[in-house]
Amino acid sequence: MPIDIQSFEEGDEADLRAGGRTNAEEVLAFLASSPDQAYTPSEIHDGTTVARGSLGVVLSRLEDRGLVRHRGDYWAIGDVEALDVTLSSMATARAATERLGAEDPDEWGPGVDDGDESE
């Protein structure tokens, strides 16, 4: 669904996600809606708002975490228990971010490692 250019330029980044969900959440929700089915990447793309060029990376990362399974040209939902934990964690993190705002590593103070080795 297109958005107006003012929303694109001035909108909150969370608002620029379809339904506020990440690509991973979109794919997981789609696959979890039919746990007895497996889909090709093209079918997953057609059933979600995930860009075709992003889908391969998203699926690979989800597979690395055991959240989806891959066999031949098809993908299916993975370990349902791990999926429940992951989706719950994502929802909690999103709710905290909406309530408290995004983290700013510059505000963490001295001596806190933000994982950025470039400094």
Side-chain angles (χ1 to χ4, degrees):
M1 179 173 126
I3 61 171
D4 63 82
I5 199 66
Q6 184 175 358
S7 297
F8 171 77
E9 291 176 345
E10 299 171 10
D12 185 330
E13 185 148 346
D15 295 337
L16 297 178
R17 293 191 184 106
R21 296 196 295 188
T22 65
N23 285 344
E25 288 172 306
E26 284 284 318
V27 170
L28 290 172
F30 175 78
L31 293 175
S33 69
S34 300
D36 57 339
Q37 301 288 315
Y39 298 89
T40 64
S42 179
E43 293 167 331
I44 296 169
H45 167 72
D46 291 344
T48 67
T49 60
V50 179
R52 194 174 302 274
S54 300
L55 194 54
V57 173
V58 171
L59 287 167
S60 293
R61 289 180 179 165
L62 292 172
E63 182 181 31
D64 289 346
R65 292 174 177 86
L67 300 173
V68 299
R69 299 175 284 158
H70 176 235
R71 193 158 182 228
D73 291 336
Y74 289 88
W75 294 83
I77 202 68
D79 180 3
V80 175
E81 188 173 312
L83 175 67
D84 288 341
V85 169
T86 299
L87 289 177
S88 176
S89 297
M90 288 175 154
T92 300
R94 185 172 41 264
T97 299
E98 288 171 2
R99 183 165 184 235
L100 304 173
E103 289 185 5
D104 182 358
D106 293 333
E107 294 179 3
W108 291 352
V112 177
D113 181 11
D114 67 0
D116 184 2
E117 301 294 330
S118 65
E119 296 180 322

